[in-house]
mmCIF file of all heavy atoms in Angstrom:
data_model
loop_
_atom_site.group_PDB
_atom_site.id
_atom_site.type_symbol
_atom_site.label_atom_id
_atom_site.label_comp_id
_atom_site.label_asym_id
_atom_site.label_seq_id
_atom_site.Cartn_x
_atom_site.Cartn_y
_atom_site.Cartn_z
ATOM 1 N N LEU A 225 -11.134 1.835 10.237
ATOM 2 C CA LEU A 225 -11.445 2.939 9.316
ATOM 3 C C LEU A 225 -12.798 2.756 8.664
ATOM 4 O O LEU A 225 -13.418 3.757 8.233
ATOM 5 C CB LEU A 225 -10.295 3.122 8.256
ATOM 6 C CG LEU A 225 -8.914 3.421 8.845
ATOM 7 C CD1 LEU A 225 -7.935 3.473 7.702
ATOM 8 C CD2 LEU A 225 -8.975 4.752 9.607
ATOM 9 N N ILE A 226 -13.226 1.535 8.504
ATOM 10 C CA ILE A 226 -14.560 1.275 7.927
ATOM 11 C C ILE A 226 -15.589 1.891 8.861
ATOM 12 O O ILE A 226 -16.597 2.486 8.387
ATOM 13 C CB ILE A 226 -14.857 -0.289 7.787
ATOM 14 C CG1 ILE A 226 -13.814 -0.881 6.785
ATOM 15 C CG2 ILE A 226 -16.279 -0.548 7.337
ATOM 16 C CD1 ILE A 226 -13.951 -0.399 5.393
ATOM 17 N N GLY A 227 -15.431 1.768 10.124
ATOM 18 C CA GLY A 227 -16.283 2.350 11.115
ATOM 19 C C GLY A 227 -16.336 3.884 10.992
ATOM 20 O O GLY A 227 -17.400 4.529 11.077
ATOM 21 N N VAL A 228 -15.136 4.462 10.773
ATOM 22 C CA VAL A 228 -15.058 5.902 10.652
ATOM 23 C C VAL A 228 -15.835 6.360 9.393
ATOM 24 O O VAL A 228 -16.554 7.327 9.400
ATOM 25 C CB VAL A 228 -13.598 6.380 10.577
ATOM 26 C CG1 VAL A 228 -13.526 7.892 10.347
ATOM 27 C CG2 VAL A 228 -12.878 6.011 11.828
ATOM 28 N N MET A 229 -15.614 5.636 8.305
ATOM 29 C CA MET A 229 -16.346 5.954 7.082
ATOM 30 C C MET A 229 -17.835 5.775 7.233
ATOM 31 O O MET A 229 -18.625 6.652 6.747
ATOM 32 C CB MET A 229 -15.859 4.965 5.988
ATOM 33 C CG MET A 229 -16.546 5.158 4.636
ATOM 34 S SD MET A 229 -16.463 3.663 3.596
ATOM 35 C CE MET A 229 -17.542 2.528 4.444
ATOM 36 N N HIS A 230 -18.254 4.741 7.978
ATOM 37 C CA HIS A 230 -19.718 4.471 8.077
ATOM 38 C C HIS A 230 -20.378 5.569 8.966
ATOM 39 O O HIS A 230 -21.452 6.036 8.575
ATOM 40 C CB HIS A 230 -19.941 3.173 8.812
ATOM 41 C CG HIS A 230 -21.398 2.857 9.121
ATOM 42 N ND1 HIS A 230 -22.241 2.367 8.074
ATOM 43 C CD2 HIS A 230 -22.166 2.999 10.222
ATOM 44 C CE1 HIS A 230 -23.441 2.260 8.650
ATOM 45 N NE2 HIS A 230 -23.419 2.600 9.887
ATOM 46 N N GLU A 231 -19.689 6.075 10.016
ATOM 47 C CA GLU A 231 -20.256 7.080 10.840
ATOM 48 C C GLU A 231 -20.371 8.455 10.135
ATOM 49 O O GLU A 231 -21.283 9.131 10.211
ATOM 50 C CB GLU A 231 -19.395 7.160 12.110
ATOM 51 C CG GLU A 231 -19.986 8.182 13.102
ATOM 52 C CD GLU A 231 -19.135 8.304 14.396
ATOM 53 O OE1 GLU A 231 -18.187 7.549 14.553
ATOM 54 O OE2 GLU A 231 -19.465 9.088 15.269
ATOM 55 N N SER A 232 -19.300 8.771 9.437
ATOM 56 C CA SER A 232 -19.211 10.076 8.796
ATOM 57 C C SER A 232 -19.886 10.166 7.440
ATOM 58 O O SER A 232 -20.262 11.222 6.941
ATOM 59 C CB SER A 232 -17.745 10.542 8.650
ATOM 60 O OG SER A 232 -17.088 9.680 7.821
ATOM 61 N N ARG A 233 -20.055 8.986 6.813
ATOM 62 C CA ARG A 233 -20.484 8.905 5.422
ATOM 63 C C ARG A 233 -19.553 9.665 4.457
ATOM 64 O O ARG A 233 -19.985 10.106 3.464
ATOM 65 C CB ARG A 233 -21.952 9.453 5.289
ATOM 66 C CG ARG A 233 -22.977 8.726 6.164
ATOM 67 C CD ARG A 233 -23.255 7.324 5.686
ATOM 68 N NE ARG A 233 -24.534 6.812 6.107
ATOM 69 C CZ ARG A 233 -24.733 6.207 7.332
ATOM 70 N NH1 ARG A 233 -23.653 5.997 8.154
ATOM 71 N NH2 ARG A 233 -25.891 5.771 7.689
ATOM 72 N N ARG A 234 -18.330 9.792 4.838
ATOM 73 C CA ARG A 234 -17.328 10.550 4.093
ATOM 74 C C ARG A 234 -16.166 9.648 3.786
ATOM 75 O O ARG A 234 -15.897 8.725 4.507
ATOM 76 C CB ARG A 234 -16.970 11.824 4.728
ATOM 77 C CG ARG A 234 -18.097 12.863 4.850
ATOM 78 C CD ARG A 234 -17.634 14.112 5.550
ATOM 79 N NE ARG A 234 -18.728 15.079 5.641
ATOM 80 C CZ ARG A 234 -19.050 15.983 4.707
ATOM 81 N NH1 ARG A 234 -18.321 15.907 3.578
ATOM 82 N NH2 ARG A 234 -19.992 16.798 4.941
ATOM 83 N N THR A 235 -15.343 10.136 2.761
ATOM 84 C CA THR A 235 -14.106 9.470 2.444
ATOM 85 C C THR A 235 -13.107 9.590 3.621
ATOM 86 O O THR A 235 -12.971 10.686 4.145
ATOM 87 C CB THR A 235 -13.470 10.032 1.163
ATOM 88 O OG1 THR A 235 -14.458 9.786 0.095
ATOM 89 C CG2 THR A 235 -12.184 9.445 0.888
ATOM 90 N N VAL A 236 -12.353 8.530 3.898
ATOM 91 C CA VAL A 236 -11.320 8.593 4.902
ATOM 92 C C VAL A 236 -10.002 8.329 4.258
ATOM 93 O O VAL A 236 -9.790 7.319 3.587
ATOM 94 C CB VAL A 236 -11.548 7.452 5.965
ATOM 95 C CG1 VAL A 236 -10.471 7.485 7.065
ATOM 96 C CG2 VAL A 236 -12.932 7.658 6.642
#
Side-chain angles (χ1 to χ4, degrees):
L225 297 179
I226 298 297
V228 178
M229 177 201 72
H230 177 82
E231 182 178 359
S232 65
R233 301 292 199 273
R234 295 181 179 274
T235 297
V236 179

